[in-house]
Amino acid sequence: MRSACLALTLGLAACGQQPDIAPTQSAAAEAKPMATGSPEPTMPEKSFQVLGTEPFWAVEVLPGQLRYSDPENIAGTTFAATESSEGTGVRYSGTMSGQQISLMVQPGTCSDGMSDTVYPWTAVLTKDGRRLQGCARKR
């Protein structure tokens, strides 16, 4: 039987046809971006956008400010924020409506889980004592 399979494979190759062989990688492995050997993306210098799902939220990072929005506050609330370097990332901290907000953005491939978009940075927003995961991209 093995000889017959080998002969069939060789015969198809000789005719210029490729045998129908199932891929060995899992769908999850195929979905991951391939390493390109390039260095980690550098943090954006000006403004960028951070998005999270379940629950939906967004933060626009502007020089010296953050603008937080969610489905209940589509227009968003802008407030002053300080920036500090932490390892390879940047932490933004501020107070919105009397509530402490912290946003940590770091280089790293990120998927929002809702689309096929791959983002170059990961993010964690701490609000109301809750840690919300998100992704970030340059605006």
Side-chain angles (χ1 to χ4, degrees), residues 47-125:
S47 66
F48 60 101
Q49 181 181 38
V50 183
L51 306 166
T53 59
E54 297 181 28
F56 289 100
W57 58 272
V59 174
E60 184 176 3
V61 177
L62 304 164
Q65 299 180 349
L66 298 178
R67 180 176 23 244
Y68 173 84
S69 61
D70 60 27
E72 289 80 38
N73 180 11
I74 294 173
T77 302
T78 303
F79 55 97
T82 60
E83 176 183 317
S84 60
S85 295
E86 285 191 24
T88 60
V90 178
R91 179 173 304 278
Y92 300 90
S93 302
T95 304
M96 178 181 75
S97 304
Q99 177 181 50
Q100 286 295 118
I101 303 286
S102 174
L103 175 67
M104 182 68 188
V105 180
Q106 300 184 94
T109 303
C110 185
S111 172
D112 62 16
M114 301 290 284
S115 70
D116 291 332
T117 304
V118 177
Y119 299 83
W121 299 287
T122 64
V124 175
L125 175 70

Side-chain angles (χ1 to χ4, degrees), residues 124-138:
V124 175
L125 175 70
T126 305
K127 177 182 176 288
D128 289 330
R130 293 178 59 199
R131 290 174 47 94
L132 305 171
Q133 301 292 323
C135 300
R137 64 181 169 200
K138 198 172 192 174

